[in-house]
């Protein structure tokens, strides 16, 4: 891949593990003929601003499955601490000489490539920005990613060593002043709908979406359009009934 928006190298790091608390082993579960991790990788591969993709998992024995999936898909896999997820990002970012890192979680099969391009582009176009994210109240939960400058992440290591930050990687960056919040295009505007996978019910829901919409690149756009149309129709029906 070749980044289109600037010379700064952007590396997408997908954090993945088998030991999910609410749905163990979910990254290997089948979704319409492909496992969840493969679905996420496929979405990130469609982002034009990403130069490299690395899956970062743990050295736990059960995460051998994650490494095997990556090998099958010809995706590089880094294995590090199970609990200190941030240390995986630091190691991969340094190893790959990343200027910009895109953080993606492996439980979001509808991670939106357009959002990745928007937030990476925001950083590449403004060197004063350290962290970029989509306006989370405007997009479906589970479609987002985060982008940040590698140096900004390294800077936080000196003053934020909390366990929460080690697990969730970006809390200190989110508290920083140099944060860019990117508004979505109108066709992506739907802030109260969940498309990630945390539980078995979510897994069933996502499978139904793929069964209905298929493999198209515009699945999320089609879903959002349908949900908005259904809500508008329901609103008109309720208004008519109240007359």
């Amino acid at each position: 891949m070749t980044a289109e928006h600037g010379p700064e190298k952007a590396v997408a790091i997908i954090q993945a593990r088998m030991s999910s608390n609410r749905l163990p082993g979910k990254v290997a579960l089948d979704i319409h003929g492909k496992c969840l991790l493969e679905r996420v990788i496929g979405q990130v591969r469609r982002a034009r601003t990403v130069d490299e993709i690395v899956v970062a998992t743990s050295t736990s024995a059960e995460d051998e499955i994650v490494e095997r999936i990556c090998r099958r898909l010809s995706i590089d896999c880094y294995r590090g601490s199970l609990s200190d997820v941030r240390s995986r990002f630091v190691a991969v970012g340094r190893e790959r000489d990343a200027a910009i890192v895109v953080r993606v979680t492996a439980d979001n099969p509808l991670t939106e490539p357009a959002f990745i391009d928007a937030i990476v582009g925001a950083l590449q176009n403004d060197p004063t920005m350290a962290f970029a994210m989509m306006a989370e109240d405007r997009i479906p939960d589970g479609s987002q990613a985060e982008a940040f400058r590698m140096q900004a992440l390294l800077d936080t290591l000196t003053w934020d060593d909390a366990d929460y930050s080690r697990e969730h990687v970006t809390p200190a960056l989110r508290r920083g002043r140099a944060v860019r919040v990117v508004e979505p295009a109108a066709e992506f505007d739907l802030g109260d709908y969940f498309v990630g996978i945390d539980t078995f019910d979510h897994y069933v829901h996502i499978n139904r979406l793929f069964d209905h919409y298929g493999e198209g690149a515009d699945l999320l756009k089609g879903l959002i359009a349908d949900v908005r149309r259904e809500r508008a129709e329901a609103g008109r029906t309720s208004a008519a009934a109240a007359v």
Side-chain angles (χ1 to χ4, degrees):
M1 298 178 191
T2 301
E4 293 184 352
H5 292 278
E8 295 178 291
K9 182 178 180 180
V11 177
I13 303 176
I14 303 172
Q15 62 183 74
R17 63 187 175 100
M18 291 290 289
S19 55
S20 169
N21 292 327
R22 285 183 283 185
L23 188 59
K26 64 183 175 182
V27 297
L29 291 177
D30 178 82
I31 298 175
H32 203 71
K34 296 179 181 178
C35 73
L36 172 55
L37 179 56
E38 184 173 359
R39 288 285 175 198
V40 177
I41 291 170
Q43 293 296 96
V44 179
R45 277 176 162 163
R46 288 172 46 217
R48 298 187 306 272
T49 52
V50 170
D51 295 292
E52 294 181 16
I53 300 172
V54 180
V55 171
T57 191
S58 85
T59 55
S60 297
E62 61 189 330
D63 284 328
E64 172 71 19
I65 295 175
V66 175
E67 185 173 2
R68 287 179 176 272
I69 293 171
C70 292
R71 194 177 303 131
R72 174 173 61 82
L73 299 174
S74 299
I75 289 289
D76 290 337
C77 181
Y78 171 83
R79 300 185 69 175
S81 170
L82 175 62
S83 59
D84 189 350
V85 182
R86 186 176 64 181
S87 70
R88 296 185 225 160
F89 278 76
V90 169
V92 173
R94 283 173 166 165
E95 178 184 279
R96 299 305 173 111
D97 195 26
I100 293 173
V101 173
V102 181
R103 176 177 176 247
V104 179
T105 57
D107 50 4
N108 292 336
L110 295 187
T111 297
E112 177 52 49
F115 296 163
I116 293 176
D117 289 336
I119 59 178
V120 172
L123 293 183
Q124 291 178 332
N125 290 328
D126 187 347
T128 68
M129 289 295 110
F131 179 88
M133 58 186 287
M134 299 300 297
E136 292 181 316
D137 61 339
R138 297 276 308 282
I139 61 172
D141 188 2
S143 64
Q144 68 271 41
E146 300 172 327
F148 49 87
R149 296 190 184 282
M150 182 63 189
Q151 187 57 54
L153 178 66
L154 296 177
D155 290 345
T156 67
L157 302 182
T158 63
W159 56 271
D160 187 347
D161 199 38
D163 289 343
Y164 185 83
S165 295
R166 288 176 177 270
E167 179 182 358
H168 297 283
V169 184
T170 61
L173 289 167
R174 283 173 170 260
R175 293 195 300 270
R177 294 180 179 177
V179 173
R180 172 63 56 81
V181 178
V182 180
E183 298 294 326
E187 62 263 35
F188 287 114
D189 197 342
L190 184 71
D192 58 348
Y193 197 91
F194 184 67
V195 293
I197 298 179
D198 286 337
T199 67
F200 183 75
D201 285 344
H202 296 151
Y203 170 65
V204 171
H205 175 63
I206 287 293
N207 270 281
R208 287 173 176 163
L209 292 180
F210 273 91
D211 288 343
H212 180 73
Y213 293 98
E215 300 283 330
D218 290 331
L219 189 160
L220 187 63
K221 285 184 182 179
L223 168 64
I224 290 171
D226 287 346
V227 171
R228 289 164 61 175
R229 181 170 55 253
E230 290 169 3
R231 290 179 177 179
E233 291 174 354
R236 286 193 293 270
T237 301
S238 298
V243 174

